Amino acid sequence: MATDTRRYPREELQALAAESLAAVGAPPDEAEFVAATLVSADARGIHSHGLLRLPLYVESVEAGGIVAGASLRWAREVGATAVLDGGSGFGQVIMQAAVDKARDLAGRYGTATVAVQRGTHYGVGAYWTDQLARDGMIGILVSTTGNSVAPHGSADKFIGTNPLSISFPTGGRPVTADMATSAGAYGKLVDAAGAGREIPAGWAVDHDGVPTTDANAAVAGALIPFGGHKGSAIAVLVELLAGAGGGGNFAYESVDIWNDRSSQIGAGALLIAIDLETLHGDRTALDRAASFRADLTGLRPAKGTDRVLAPGDPEQITDDANGADVTIPAHIDDALRATHLRVTTTATAR
């Protein structure tokens, strides 16, 4: 089924999103920043992490699951490590603070590890690791999420979609892998259910553990890890890295705001930065990475393929093609504008 789309200037979409967030109590700078990150996701074609989330964020702020204007607190800092208590604030605001700290520590020590506790959904992982890569640092980010994935061999939800993002610097466009460790992202599942679309085979099982392409049956059931037992192993290790290592809740210890808007999910994240120039004493690693990238994208295309792309290129190409305007699915646009009308009308009536 084709998805109807609409196209708007980025500034218009950002303004609508920011006004909606501000109407429920987000400080102006937070509202504008979160809105910009959501529109950035849509511009890159990642609609599961873009304005689709805006009504969810607004309702969660109203219910207390996300704390607008939360006070961030550095709970611990020892050498090249630090622990950030996010206070259940906007995940994007929390993660930007973590990135800034990791950049500073890696600049001093050559590497940095930042743990995030009491976090919430932070959007597209590449948004954060690419910042580090543009500064010549490897960025590695893992996070826990709500309980939505059945590990290999199980019919029961136990872990999250557990995103993993790695960005490698090249002196130009980074090489970036940004992915859920589930076969499909939960946001894409919700988006498909809302649009009445089927999901690909191999993404999910229903409540009884039977494979399904029905998005609503999958919401009631569970996503499964990508890559069978190997992908499941990676997903479980991400849960441990971000949950135990980051100090956040495990998925089964939390309730996702998709299911309860008042839930303070307590997501954990672990962010690692490695400064390549400090590690090697010169730009050799960056130069070799740039050469590798050029060689990779210069390979002969397989039959049916126009050209070979590096990880992260498809999203950047989509962003470049969008330019000053952004295309979003019609049902996401409808939900955005309905939310904006509701909250701004309520705020005006107060």
Side-chain angles (χ1 to χ4, degrees), residues 284-308:
T284 299
L286 289 171
D287 293 341
R288 294 191 69 220
S291 177
F292 177 91
R293 189 189 212 293
D295 289 344
L296 171 66
T297 57
L299 293 171
R300 288 184 302 121
K303 185 176 181 180
T305 303
D306 292 332
R307 56 176 167 152
V308 177

Side-chain angles (χ1 to χ4, degrees), residues 189-314:
L189 178 62
V190 172
D191 187 32
R197 298 193 310 272
E198 287 195 334
I199 58 173
W203 270 29
V205 294
D206 65 16
H207 181 71
D208 296 318
V210 178
T212 183
T213 58
D214 184 315
N216 288 295
V219 170
L223 288 164
I224 58 175
F226 80 96
H229 67 283
K230 293 182 180 180
S232 186
I234 293 173
V236 167
L237 264 296
V238 168
E239 186 90 20
L240 287 168
L241 283 167
N249 287 337
F250 291 125
Y252 69 84
E253 297 174 323
S254 64
V255 176
D256 201 302
I257 57 174
W258 283 113
N259 302 316
D260 180 357
R261 303 296 194 263
S262 67
S263 173
Q264 293 192 359
I265 188 172
L270 199 65
L271 175 65
I272 300 170
I274 303 169
D275 189 311
L276 285 174
E277 284 200 54
T278 300
L279 180 65
H280 292 286
D282 55 30
R283 290 182 54 86
T284 299
L286 289 171
D287 293 341
R288 294 191 69 220
S291 177
F292 177 91
R293 189 189 212 293
D295 289 344
L296 171 66
T297 57
L299 293 171
R300 288 184 302 121
K303 185 176 181 180
T305 303
D306 292 332
R307 56 176 167 152
V308 177
L309 300 176
D313 282 355

